[in-house]
Amino acid sequence: MSSVEHWGQLYATTDPQVVSWYQAHPVRSLALISRTGLPRDAPILDVGGGASSLVDHLLNRGYTGVGVLDLAQPALEVAKARLGPERAAEVEWYVADVREFTSPHRWELWHDRAVFHFLTAARDRAAYRTSVLRNLSPTGHVVIATFALAGPERCSGLPVARYDAPSLAAELGAGFELLETETEHHRTPGGVVQPFTYCRFRRVPAAA
């Protein structure tokens, strides 16, 4: 089964509020986004956002340049239905594989709490980094959350990679400066605690 089929089937058959990664209020993501100091009209892309409630909270806080990217159309349809037609129309929606994604414009903030730890092959992580460089502004911010080193080895039936801040920074490479990191002990709807590593980076302008 392809990744598109896997995630499409999951969101087509599962209540999004019972999946292990569900958060009613994405506290740490919102705090890290706020601490970038970006204006409310800055372009912000939620990578692998799917049915996540982050888009709702960003709109509620007055952000007007929000985009959501996901591999699975059914996941985005859940979010659109939750928002309603008028609010959904305020968001840019993209159905695409992040490794191949080319945006029509550059983003000032790239947020990912869903994708990177599923990229267990080095070539896929390299393609992801290339996508970040292609789609992020030259001085943009990156907020990534992955399973921490003590986190689960599998999620949704798939193997995952686990990171601490130094290993995540090494994956992004020298073009990014690590500004801060936090650990979250996420409690799933089923009551299982999963440690996550959150990191905020700033892209370092290329030398002239």
Side-chain angles (χ1 to χ4, degrees), residues 118-140:
F118 284 106
L119 304 179
T120 57
R123 65 180 180 276
D124 291 329
R125 296 194 296 274
Y128 180 102
R129 182 178 184 276
T130 298
S131 181
V132 176
L133 294 171
R134 182 169 62 243
N135 294 299
L136 188 69
S137 80
T139 57

Side-chain angles (χ1 to χ4, degrees), residues 4 89 106 113 126 155 183 208:
V4 174
R106 295 290 187 102
R113 185 183 170 268
C155 179
T183 299

Side-chain angles (χ1 to χ4, degrees), residues 104-120:
H105 59 84
R106 295 290 187 102
W107 301 88
E108 290 298 330
L109 191 147
W110 175 287
H111 173 272
D112 173 8
R113 185 183 170 268
V115 177
F116 192 73
H117 50 214
F118 284 106
L119 304 179
T120 57

Side-chain angles (χ1 to χ4, degrees), residues 22-50:
Y22 173 73
Q23 287 183 311
H25 193 83
V27 175
R28 278 178 176 75
S29 290
L30 290 167
L32 290 167
I33 290 170
S34 177
R35 289 202 290 272
T36 65
L38 289 170
R40 289 296 193 267
D41 62 351
I44 295 173
L45 182 65
D46 188 18
V47 175

Side-chain angles (χ1 to χ4, degrees), residues 96-102 127 131 134:
D97 184 324
V98 65
R99 295 165 296 182
E100 302 168 358
F101 177 61
T102 298
S131 181
R134 182 169 62 243

Side-chain angles (χ1 to χ4, degrees), residues 168-182:
L168 191 53
E171 289 289 347
L172 277 187
F176 296 87
E177 177 187 6
L178 176 62
L179 300 179
E180 59 178 315
T181 182
E182 297 183 9

